[in-house]
Amino acid sequence: MKRKIFDDGLIICHSPKSLFFTCILFSYIFVFIFLHSSPSKNIDFFTTRKTNNKAKQTFDIDRATLLLSTQEKVDNDLVVESEVEETNDPLVPPEHVSRQERIAWFRHKLPELHILNSNSLSKQFHRRVLEFLSGGCSVQFYMVWLFPAESFGKRNLLSVESLFKAHRQGCLIILSNSMDSNRGYRILKPLLDRGFRILSVSPDLPFLVNNTPAEAWLKELKSGTKDPGAIPLSQNLSNLIRLTILYKYGGIYIDSDIIVLRDFSKLRNVVGAQSIDAVSKQWTRLNGAVMVFDIYHPLLLDFLEEFALTFDGNKWGFNGPYLLSRVVSRIIRSKSNGYHDFNFTIFPPKAFYPVHWKRIERVLKKPKNETELRWAEQMVSQLNGSDTYAIHLWSKRSGDCKIEEESVVAQLILDHCLICNNL
């Protein structure tokens, strides 16, 4: 009969084989001491052990991977592949080339520009949007994101948080190939888990421009004979997509660097002035970073026509804020059609652009003294007032600037964030 001896938690079983195991134990101890007596052997021993640990970790990863469903594994593989592809943006033209050289480059790149064409995923765009909106929304918002999903950073998430802080029952559609992915889902998961309604959807550009003045423009672009311009094409495609989504579905478009401060639900057919003349107090430039329009609004059709007829990819803003300004100026000057006949309103800069882009750094910095602290407090109070709906952070200008603690923007974010982990 075996007899068990308990000693400090160890169980030693005496059996006829115990002597054999004792010999094995002493042999192991001898080898261990010998290895420690030789430096080179010692290195080999620990290297082997480290390699074995890596092998174990690899095995654990492989075993975890096997637990995924086949579809999840395929999706993950596609995400990894897309993340590699995202590092080289085919929409950025080469620098210091002639117009003809750029057209030749663009013609060569056309097969890579998936956003210009319909595919099996983007063809579901209209159905997915209608199904999403049919769930009921107090107000419907849109963003356009034509960059890698990994670039959708903390400030962009703060923009989304502020949107839902002011519109708990609202909906947000992000038109983006990259965000319509597992990675995009993981980025937005903290908000999705809290029940906020967000749809990232790959846009179907041919569908969006269909039966609009921009349809012929897209056809010409895809022919490879049109100069896309020196400005990254993604910027101008974003200008186009925001106009088409508002025209075909109606709602509110906002840039992803907008911090929402107030409820938008009562706004109808609104564009905002970015700047005004100091003397006349008349607006000098409009901006499309925030636009509110009913479905099929005639002004949007005029914007799309202007985009198609006057497109210039070599001038920054020409197909965006300057386009809106040109069209609205013509409408106002027209004797036969005053802009009131188009049923839209131009809001002053304080509504959406209360801080000029040249001064945006100041509201990102921490006050250095009592005077600056009082100014910051007054600024926060004004921006939280009834006349300001949002603040544009002008990421092209301020993207590399840190939002410092106690700054105007930091205080606004604390007032208007939901999760508040992204400051």
Side-chain angles (χ1 to χ4, degrees):
M1 178 179 289
K2 295 180 181 180
R3 183 163 54 94
K4 296 181 180 180
I5 301 175
F6 297 87
D7 183 16
D8 293 332
L10 296 176
I11 303 178
I12 303 176
C13 300
H14 286 264
S15 69
K17 297 181 180 179
S18 61
L19 181 60
F20 172 76
F21 287 112
T22 301
C23 293
I24 293 296
L25 177 62
F26 278 104
S27 297
Y28 174 79
I29 294 171
F30 174 78
V31 172
F32 183 85
I33 294 172
F34 174 76
L35 290 172
H36 272 270
S37 66
S38 171
S40 62
K41 296 290 185 181
N42 189 38
I43 292 172
D44 290 342
F45 172 75
F46 283 107
T47 302
T48 303
R49 184 171 66 178
K50 186 175 182 180
T51 303
N52 288 338
N53 286 339
K54 287 184 177 179
K56 182 179 183 300
Q57 292 172 0
T58 302
F59 171 75
D60 290 340
I61 292 171
D62 291 340
R63 182 172 61 181
T65 301
L66 290 173
L67 294 176
L68 293 171
S69 67
T70 303
Q71 185 59 49
E72 285 175 325
K73 191 175 187 305
V74 170
D75 289 344
N76 287 337
D77 290 342
L78 289 174
V79 170
V80 171
E81 182 179 345
S82 67
E83 287 166 2
V84 173
E85 293 175 350
E86 284 173 353
T87 57
N88 298 316
D89 185 357
L91 298 177
V92 179
E95 297 180 349
H96 312 301
V97 296
S98 68
R99 178 178 178 275
Q100 292 303 320
E101 288 172 333
R102 189 166 52 242
I103 292 175
W105 163 84
F106 183 71
R107 190 182 302 116
H108 176 72
K109 282 287 184 180
L110 272 172
E112 300 178 39
L113 305 183
H114 305 300
I115 192 171
L116 302 181
N117 301 293
S118 299
N119 57 41
S120 58
L121 181 59
S122 67
K123 285 180 179 178
Q124 303 174 44
F125 171 80
H126 183 56
R127 176 186 59 79
R128 292 173 68 189
V129 169
L130 290 183
E131 288 180 356
F132 179 72
L133 295 178
S134 67
C137 308
S138 62
V139 60
Q140 54 201 53
F141 284 86
Y142 309 97
M143 289 182 180
V144 177
W145 187 260
L146 302 184
F147 307 103
E150 62 189 6
S151 301
F152 199 90
K154 291 182 178 181
R155 292 193 192 181
N156 308 114
L157 283 171
L158 286 168
S159 179
V160 177
E161 284 188 40
S162 68
L163 185 158
F164 285 109
K165 181 68 175 285
H167 310 85
R168 300 279 180 163
Q169 305 303 317
C171 297
L172 171 63
I173 295 176
I174 302 175
L175 291 90
S176 171
N177 287 335
S178 64
M179 292 294 287
D180 189 5
S181 65
N182 282 359
R183 168 167 279 194
Y185 171 78
R186 291 195 297 270
I187 291 171
L188 298 170
K189 191 175 184 297
L191 287 161
L192 292 168
D193 287 348
R194 286 166 171 80
F196 295 108
R197 303 197 62 220
I198 309 171
L199 172 68
S200 295
V201 58
S202 298
D204 187 348
L205 191 56
F207 167 79
L208 285 169
V209 301
N210 186 42
N211 294 325
T212 76
E215 185 174 14
W217 176 87
L218 180 61
K219 184 177 180 180
E220 184 183 4
L221 184 72
K222 291 166 63 175
S223 72
T225 60
K226 190 174 187 63
D227 180 14
I231 304 296
L233 185 59
S234 55
Q235 187 176 117
N236 286 314
L237 289 179
S238 175
N239 291 327
L240 175 60
I241 291 172
R242 71 186 67 181
L243 296 175
T244 57
I245 192 70
L246 288 175
Y247 181 69
K248 293 209 165 180
Y249 298 92
I252 302 169
Y253 170 82
I254 65 169
D255 274 359
S256 59
D257 59 349
I258 293 284
I259 301 299
V260 176
L261 306 178
R262 286 188 62 202
D263 184 359
F264 279 57
S265 60
K266 293 183 180 180
L267 300 184
R268 292 278 305 281
N269 304 318
V270 169
V271 291
Q274 174 183 321
S275 57
I276 58 174
D277 183 88
V279 178
S280 68
K281 303 300 180 182
Q282 298 296 312
W283 64 267
T284 55
R285 185 183 303 170
L286 305 180
N287 195 299
V290 179
M291 292 186 288
V292 186
F293 280 104
D294 295 340
I295 188 172
Y296 301 133
H297 195 281
L299 184 58
L300 292 168
L301 205 60
D302 280 13
F303 289 156
L304 288 166
E305 184 175 31
E306 181 76 6
F307 184 97
L309 295 178
T310 67
F311 178 83
D312 188 340
N314 293 304
K315 299 177 182 177
W316 186 92
F318 187 83
N319 313 296
Y322 291 105
L323 181 151
L324 270 61
S325 302
R326 291 195 304 272
V327 172
V328 173
S329 292
R330 282 201 303 267
I331 292 173
I332 292 176
R333 289 196 305 266
S334 172
K335 294 180 180 179
S336 57
N337 291 309
Y339 72 91
H340 293 292
D341 296 332
F342 274 74
N343 184 30
F344 73 96
T345 305
I346 300 172
F347 275 17
K350 62 182 177 181
F352 307 128
Y353 314 104
V355 180
H356 194 277
W357 62 270
K358 290 182 179 179
R359 295 187 287 273
I360 191 64
E361 287 94 341
R362 185 179 183 188
V363 295
L364 298 173
K365 294 185 179 297
K366 180 178 180 177
K368 296 178 180 179
N369 50 52
E370 287 296 324
T371 301
E372 290 187 2
L373 181 61
R374 285 194 299 271
W375 175 86
E377 291 173 348
Q378 292 174 359
M379 192 70 177
V380 170
S381 178
Q382 290 177 14
L383 292 174
N384 277 328
S386 59
D387 294 330
T388 301
Y389 287 84
I391 178 172
H392 193 192
L393 297 185
W394 307 105
S395 60
K396 187 175 180 64
R397 172 88 175 194
S398 69
D400 294 330
C401 301
K402 181 182 177 182
I403 301 177
E404 297 182 4
E405 193 175 350
E406 297 181 14
S407 67
V408 171
V409 172
Q411 293 182 61
L412 288 173
I413 288 172
L414 288 175
D415 289 339
H416 299 279
C417 62
L418 283 169
I419 303 174
C420 305
N421 292 335
N422 295 307
L423 182 58

